[in-house]
Amino acid sequence: MRSIAYLCIILSAGLASACSNNQQQGQQSSSPAKIAIHNNSVNIAYTDTGKNDTTLLFVHGWAINKGYWANQIKYFGKRYRVVAMDLAGFGNSGKNRDKWDVYAFASDVDSVIKELDLKKVILIGHSMSGDIVLQSAIDNKDRVIGLVGIDNFKNPGYQLTEKDKKEYEAAMAQMKQHFVKTATDYFNQALFYKTTTQAVRNRVLNDVAHADSVIAIASMANTVNFDELPKLKQAGKKLYVIGSDVTPVDTTHMVAEKIPFKIYNIHATGHYPMIEKPDDFNLLLDKVIQQL
């Protein structure tokens, strides 16, 4: 149906990603002492692994949690300080607030940076969290040294038409009525590739089925009006994107506005390259980090 198809287009552009994983990554013995982090009384769950002046801060997208970064924590934690967090409303973080937009989620990231006193931070955000880490980079210009999007920033600068908006509203209304079915259809149509394994498919579909639908829908609806192009200018950072070549980035507006960027594509993967092809993903992220 057209509303589902349009939802796929919009969300694949980086406005959302999905999955909530109950598997949480434990800390290694080299991890710093654990500090309780709260953002306006909301508990923010996180893992903190390794020691280094440079910190890789991994942030998930729609309904996802820090468990999806387990392979990256293992790979990079030997050389860097690696922090993976659950945004409020997802994973093991608290739900006791009523704001679920980019700015509220960015403040979760800000609280982690502040409370852990991180000074040389590379922000890495998957899907919806591309916008979240972008805003956090603006909030923390003196601490953030790098900005990395994972399968997002598909077309910065694209402006929704009135027709787009109406179809998006229709898709959201359908999501409110039939959350699991609509989300499942969306994932099957847009987020998996033909080579995506059944294990990955099952993991994602199980996670979205168990997501808090009220928070998930609110966070999805509140991301559509975030204008990435002026925010990229404001951040003043070169944008790095690692994503699937199945849905490549349209760089037209970034080129026109002279926004610095570098795109790395992983061949033939779905929306979750960090778990679908973790070895390829880690090598590309390593390249980005070396440039930073």
Side-chain angles (χ1 to χ4, degrees):
M1 56 194 69
R2 293 184 64 197
S3 61
I4 292 297
Y6 184 68
L7 184 63
C8 294
I9 294 172
I10 292 299
L11 300 186
S12 294
L15 295 178
S17 79
C19 54
S20 171
N21 190 340
N22 292 326
Q23 296 179 356
Q24 301 299 321
Q25 178 68 24
Q27 292 179 294
Q28 297 181 1
S29 59
S30 60
S31 302
K34 190 78 170 183
I35 299 172
I37 297 178
H38 294 85
N39 180 26
N40 295 323
S41 79
V42 179
N43 176 65
I44 303 299
Y46 70 98
T47 60
D48 189 356
T49 303
K51 295 180 180 180
N52 196 292
D53 290 339
T54 299
T55 300
L56 312 184
L57 178 48
F58 289 93
V59 189
H60 61 79
W62 187 59
I64 206 172
N65 68 42
K66 60 187 181 294
Y68 275 63
W69 302 113
N71 190 282
Q72 287 67 52
I73 293 172
K74 180 179 179 180
Y75 181 86
F76 291 102
K78 299 173 184 178
R79 291 175 288 144
Y80 301 97
R81 186 173 183 180
V82 179
V83 176
M85 60 176 289
D86 288 334
L87 294 169
F90 303 108
N92 287 335
S93 287
K95 301 180 180 181
N96 50 313
R97 75 180 186 207
D98 56 8
K99 290 186 177 181
W100 310 103
D101 59 19
V102 172
Y103 300 99
F105 288 129
S107 71
D108 295 335
V109 181
D110 297 346
S111 68
V112 171
I113 294 174
K114 179 181 178 181
E115 293 302 319
L116 297 182
D117 195 24
L118 307 178
K119 293 183 170 61
K120 295 173 63 178
V121 183
I122 299 174
L123 289 173
I124 303 160
H126 175 239
S127 198
M128 178 185 75
S129 280
D131 290 347
I132 293 168
V133 297
L134 172 54
Q135 182 58 49
S136 185
I138 294 171
D139 298 342
N140 300 277
K141 283 188 175 182
D142 58 333
R143 293 175 181 258
V144 174
I145 64 171
L147 180 63
V148 185
I150 308 302
D151 209 50
N152 46 20
F153 293 103
K154 295 296 184 180
N155 193 355
Y158 175 76
Q159 298 296 317
L160 297 180
T161 65
E162 288 304 314
K163 180 182 178 182
D164 290 339
K165 293 177 182 178
K166 289 181 180 179
E167 291 185 347
Y168 183 79
E169 290 173 359
M172 291 305 300
Q174 185 169 325
M175 181 77 76
K176 292 178 181 179
Q177 292 183 351
H178 307 287
F179 175 74
V180 174
K181 183 182 185 304
T182 304
T184 298
D185 289 345
Y186 162 59
F187 285 109
N188 283 325
Q189 291 179 37
L191 300 187
F192 300 139
Y193 187 57
K194 60 185 179 181
T195 57
T196 303
T197 66
Q198 193 61 49
V200 169
R201 293 168 186 261
N202 291 343
R203 177 179 182 179
V204 173
L205 292 176
N206 179 69
D207 290 339
V208 71
H210 290 87
D212 186 312
S213 62
V214 173
I215 295 174
I217 292 170
S219 61
M220 183 184 295
N222 290 333
T223 61
V224 71
N225 293 318
F226 190 82
D227 197 344
E228 293 173 339
L229 205 61
K231 291 291 186 177
L232 285 168
K233 290 182 179 180
Q234 188 178 356
K237 299 283 190 302
K238 185 174 183 177
L239 173 65
Y240 293 86
V241 179
I242 301 174
S244 170
D245 62 0
V246 177
T247 55
V249 174
D250 185 338
T251 63
T252 302
H253 299 291
M254 290 194 290
V255 171
E257 296 297 328
K258 298 181 179 180
I259 292 174
F261 66 88
K262 178 70 175 179
I263 310 298
Y264 290 95
N265 287 322
I266 297 180
H267 179 60
T269 182
H271 192 52
Y272 305 88
M274 64 280 201
I275 62 172
E276 294 185 58
K277 293 188 176 181
D279 293 339
D280 293 346
F281 177 88
N282 291 342
L283 289 176
L284 288 181
L285 182 55
D286 225 343
K287 286 185 178 181
V288 172
I289 294 170
Q290 296 309 314
Q291 294 180 55
L292 293 170

